[in-house]
Amino acid sequence: MIRQDFITLATDLSIEDLLLEYPIAADFLANLRLDSIPKQLSLSQALEEVDEGILQEFGLDRFGVLRSFCEFMETFTPAEVSPHAVSSLTIIGGLNKSGEPEKISLTIFCGEIISIVGPTGSGKSRLLNDIECLAQGDTPTGRRVLVNGAELDDLQRFEMDGKLVAQLSQNMNFVMDLTVREFLEMHAKSRLTINAEQVVEKCFLCANELAGEKFLPDTKITQLSGGQSRALMIADTAYMSNSPIVLIDEIENAGIDRRQAIELLAKREKIIFVSTHDPLLALSADKRMVIKNGGIIKVMDISDTEKQSLQAIEELDNTMQILRNRLRDGAQITLDLLKS
Amino acid sequence: MKLITVAGPPSSGKTSVILKLIECMGLPKGSVGVVKFDCLTSFDNLRYREADIPIQTGFSGKICPDHYFVSNIDDAVQWGMKSGFQMLITESAGLCNRCSPYINGIFSICVIDNLSGANTPRKIGPLLKLADVVVVTKGDIVSQAEREVFAFNIKQVNALAKVIFINGITGQGSFLLSKHLQQARDIHTLRDMKLRFTTPAAVCSYCTGETRIGDSHQMGMMKKMEFKEL
Ligand SMILES: Nc1nc2c(ncn2[C@@H]2O[C@H](COP(=O)(O)OP(=O)(O)OP(=O)(O)O)[C@@H](O)[C@H]2O)c(=O)[nH]1
Ligand SMILES: Nc1ncnc2c1ncn2[C@@H]1O[C@H](COP(=O)(O)OP(=O)(O)O)[C@@H](O)[C@H]1O
Ligand SMILES: [Mg+2]
Ligand SMILES: [Mg+2]
Ligand SMILES: [Zn+2]
Ligand SMILES: [Zn+2]
C-alpha cells in the first residue's frame, strides 16, 4: 500500500473496523490521547469533534493528525519483501595499524559461523564495528563490506536503520519490569509478528533448553540468573529478531550450552561473528579469523584434527561445569571428579 | 557554517555522543565549537575543554531552557561565525518534554537512552517527534530485544526519523551519524527562520515570581485539571 491508500482507512472506515483490521492503530490514538474518541465514526469525522487545543499540544492540527496517521500506518505495515534480505557478506581487507595491507577478501554466507580471535587490543571489536556500519573504505581500517556482493551507497546504509545487526555480549542485562511471557509478547508485537503466540511459546521452550536451570513464563526477566538471561536473549534473537547478522562479543562464562546456542542461531540462517578467547566457541565455528595489530592476518578453516578435539574440549568444559555446580552447592571438590 | 542542534533528557548521553561524533568527523582542531544550554549548573564545559573543543555555556536559571535557547541561538550562531567554525553544535537538556529547540531546516538530533523505560519515547513529545535523527545510547547494557522494542516505540511517535544506536563510551555507531550530518546545510544567520514547534504559552503569575498557592493568586494563562466525582 502507498501513503494515499492509508488515507482511505481514515476516511472510509469506522474506527471500530479500523482497529479490528489494524490493532496497532490503537497505539496511534493512545499516543495522541485520542483513545476515547467515538469509535463508530471514521477517524477524519471523529477528529472534527476533538478539541483542537489538545492536538496543538502535540504540535498538530486535524490535517496533521491524518498525515501522521498515514506515516504511522506505512511504518507499521510489514513489507512484503524484507528490504534487509542478506544472503552473503564480503569483507575486503584494508590496512592494519601500521598501514600495511590486509591481503584478504572473504565471503560469508547465511548459516555460517565465523570466530574472531586475537590478543586484547588487536582490533576484534573494530572489525565488528566495520561490519555493523558496512564500512566502505571510510573507517580507520579502510575495509569494505559488501552485501550480496555489492557495494552500498550511503542512502542504502541509512535505510538499514540499525536493523542489520543484532548484538549479544556478556554485559547486557534486562531492565524492563516484565515477566518472561510479557516480555516476549511485547517483542513479538514490536516485530509485527504473525502467529505471535506460537513464536513466543517456541522461544520460551528453546530458552529453557539452553539454560542450565529452568525458569517459568511468569518469572520476572530482571530476576533471571546470568545464564538464564543469556539463554533467553539467544532464543529471542534466533526466533524474534529479524536482523540477518549476529555479533557476539565474549559470552564465555555464560552458564549456558554455548555450542548449542550458536548452532541454533546458525540454523536460523543468520551470519554469526563470535569474538572470543574460548576454544569451545572458536572451534564450533566454520572458520576463524586471526587478528593482529589491527589487521586480519589469516582465515583458518577448522581442521579435522581440531574438530576431533572439540569432543575432548567439550568434556573438559562439562567437568568445569560440574566443579562450578559443586562449589555452588557447598560440596567438596575431589581429584576423582577431574578424571572422568 | 553548519549548525546542528542536539537535545535530549538529562544524562541521556548528549555530551558523550557529541564528543565521539567530533572525534570521528576528523575536522581540523578548533573548527567545531559547542554551545551548551543548561538550567542551573553544568560540568560539560570541563569535558569539552579536555577535548580541546571551544565551548560556551549559558544557564537559563528561572526560565525554560528552550525559551532561553530561542532567545540566544542567533547570537550563538554569530559567535560561531566570528570564531571561524566550520560547524557549531548546540547541546540542550530538554526538561519539560513539551519544548524542543529544533529549527526548520536545521539538522536536529534527539538523544535518548535505552534505560529510560520502554514507553518513554511515547511520552517525550516534540523533542522526539520533530527530530531528524534519534540517537539511542546505552545499548551496551540492555538486551537486543529491549533495543528493538525501544526503536519500535520511537517509530510510533516519529515514523520518519532515522534511529541510530550509539555507544557513548566506545563511540560505536557515531560514524553513521557523522554521515548523516553531511546533509546539514550551511547558514550565516538564523534571522527569520522558524522553530519547528511553538514553545509553551507560559505567562502565568507563577512565571513572574508568585509563590503563594490558591485561586486568588493565579492569573494569566492557566490550565486547570479536571477532577471527576467518584
Ligand atoms: N554504558 C553506557 N554509558 C553511557 C553511554 N553513553 C553515555 N553514557 C554515560 O552516561 C552518563 C551521562 O552521559 P553524558 O554524555 O554526560 O549525558 P548528557 O546527556 O550530556 O548529560 P547532561 O548534559 O548533564 O544532561 C555518563 O556517565 C556517560 O559515561 C553508553 O552508550 N553506554
Ligand atoms: N586497522 C586499524 N587501523 C587503525 N586503528 C585500528 C585498526 N584496528 C584496530 N584499531 C584500533 O585499535 C584499538 C583497539 O582495537 P579493539 O577493536 O578495541 O581491540 P579488541 O576488541 O581486540 O580488544 C581501537 O582503538 C581500534 O579503533
Ligand atoms: Mg573488544
Ligand atoms: Mg551534557
Ligand atoms: Zn519548556
Ligand atoms: Zn507560569
Side-chain angles (χ1 to χ4, degrees), chain B residues 64-67 96 98-99 200:
Chain B
C64 159
D66 291 307
H67 283 74
C96 66
R98 163 61 178 76
C99 297

PDB file of all heavy atoms in Angstrom, chain B residues 64-67 96 98-99 200, ligand 5:
ATOM      1  N   CYS B  64      12.402  28.478  31.191  1.00  0.00           N
ATOM      2  CA  CYS B  64      12.526  27.202  30.491  1.00  0.00           C
ATOM      3  C   CYS B  64      13.742  27.246  29.571  1.00  0.00           C
ATOM      4  O   CYS B  64      13.921  28.188  28.816  1.00  0.00           O
ATOM      5  CB  CYS B  64      11.256  26.947  29.700  1.00  0.00           C
ATOM      6  SG  CYS B  64      11.481  25.769  28.362  1.00  0.00           S
ATOM      7  N   PRO B  65      14.607  26.224  29.640  1.00  0.00           N
ATOM      8  CA  PRO B  65      15.845  26.237  28.859  1.00  0.00           C
ATOM      9  C   PRO B  65      15.596  26.379  27.352  1.00  0.00           C
ATOM     10  O   PRO B  65      16.435  26.916  26.634  1.00  0.00           O
ATOM     11  CB  PRO B  65      16.506  24.898  29.174  1.00  0.00           C
ATOM     12  CG  PRO B  65      15.580  24.145  30.032  1.00  0.00           C
ATOM     13  CD  PRO B  65      14.490  25.041  30.490  1.00  0.00           C
ATOM     14  N   ASP B  66      14.443  25.925  26.893  1.00  0.00           N
ATOM     15  CA  ASP B  66      14.183  26.023  25.459  1.00  0.00           C
ATOM     16  C   ASP B  66      13.771  27.438  25.050  1.00  0.00           C
ATOM     17  O   ASP B  66      14.122  27.910  23.973  1.00  0.00           O
ATOM     18  CB  ASP B  66      13.139  25.005  25.030  1.00  0.00           C
ATOM     19  CG  ASP B  66      13.687  23.586  25.123  1.00  0.00           C
ATOM     20  OD1 ASP B  66      14.762  23.337  24.551  1.00  0.00           O
ATOM     21  OD2 ASP B  66      13.072  22.753  25.795  1.00  0.00           O
ATOM     22  N   HIS B  67      13.044  28.131  25.926  1.00  0.00           N
ATOM     23  CA  HIS B  67      12.750  29.542  25.676  1.00  0.00           C
ATOM     24  C   HIS B  67      14.070  30.315  25.628  1.00  0.00           C
ATOM     25  O   HIS B  67      14.302  31.160  24.776  1.00  0.00           O
ATOM     26  CB  HIS B  67      11.889  30.136  26.805  1.00  0.00           C
ATOM     27  CG  HIS B  67      10.451  29.749  26.739  1.00  0.00           C
ATOM     28  ND1 HIS B  67       9.994  28.503  27.069  1.00  0.00           N
ATOM     29  CD2 HIS B  67       9.353  30.462  26.386  1.00  0.00           C
ATOM     30  CE1 HIS B  67       8.681  28.470  26.926  1.00  0.00           C
ATOM     31  NE2 HIS B  67       8.271  29.641  26.506  1.00  0.00           N
ATOM     32  N   CYS B  96      11.204  19.910  30.088  1.00  0.00           N
ATOM     33  CA  CYS B  96       9.768  19.864  30.272  1.00  0.00           C
ATOM     34  C   CYS B  96       9.098  18.916  29.277  1.00  0.00           C
ATOM     35  O   CYS B  96       7.902  18.692  29.353  1.00  0.00           O
ATOM     36  CB  CYS B  96       9.161  21.253  30.176  1.00  0.00           C
ATOM     37  SG  CYS B  96       9.286  21.976  28.554  1.00  0.00           S
ATOM     38  N   ARG B  98       7.969  19.225  26.677  1.00  0.00           N
ATOM     39  CA  ARG B  98       6.963  19.878  25.870  1.00  0.00           C
ATOM     40  C   ARG B  98       7.657  20.770  24.832  1.00  0.00           C
ATOM     41  O   ARG B  98       7.158  20.969  23.744  1.00  0.00           O
ATOM     42  CB  ARG B  98       6.027  20.659  26.800  1.00  0.00           C
ATOM     43  CG  ARG B  98       5.162  21.701  26.167  1.00  0.00           C
ATOM     44  CD  ARG B  98       4.218  21.086  25.140  1.00  0.00           C
ATOM     45  NE  ARG B  98       3.380  22.136  24.595  1.00  0.00           N
ATOM     46  CZ  ARG B  98       3.790  23.023  23.711  1.00  0.00           C
ATOM     47  NH1 ARG B  98       5.021  22.996  23.284  1.00  0.00           N
ATOM     48  NH2 ARG B  98       2.966  23.941  23.258  1.00  0.00           N
ATOM     49  N   CYS B  99       8.815  21.274  25.204  1.00  0.00           N
ATOM     50  CA  CYS B  99       9.540  22.159  24.309  1.00  0.00           C
ATOM     51  C   CYS B  99      10.491  21.364  23.433  1.00  0.00           C
ATOM     52  O   CYS B  99      10.826  20.244  23.731  1.00  0.00           O
ATOM     53  CB  CYS B  99      10.404  23.125  25.103  1.00  0.00           C
ATOM     54  SG  CYS B  99       9.450  24.206  26.133  1.00  0.00           S
ATOM     55  N   PRO B 200       5.810  26.476  24.823  1.00  0.00           N
ATOM     56  CA  PRO B 200       4.529  26.562  25.513  1.00  0.00           C
ATOM     57  C   PRO B 200       4.190  27.995  25.923  1.00  0.00           C
ATOM     58  O   PRO B 200       5.069  28.774  26.258  1.00  0.00           O
ATOM     59  CB  PRO B 200       4.730  25.719  26.759  1.00  0.00           C
ATOM     60  CG  PRO B 200       5.997  25.003  26.569  1.00  0.00           C
ATOM     61  CD  PRO B 200       6.788  25.684  25.532  1.00  0.00           C
TER      62      PRO B 200
HETATM   63 ZN    ZN C   5       9.899  24.054  28.187  1.00  0.00          ZN
END
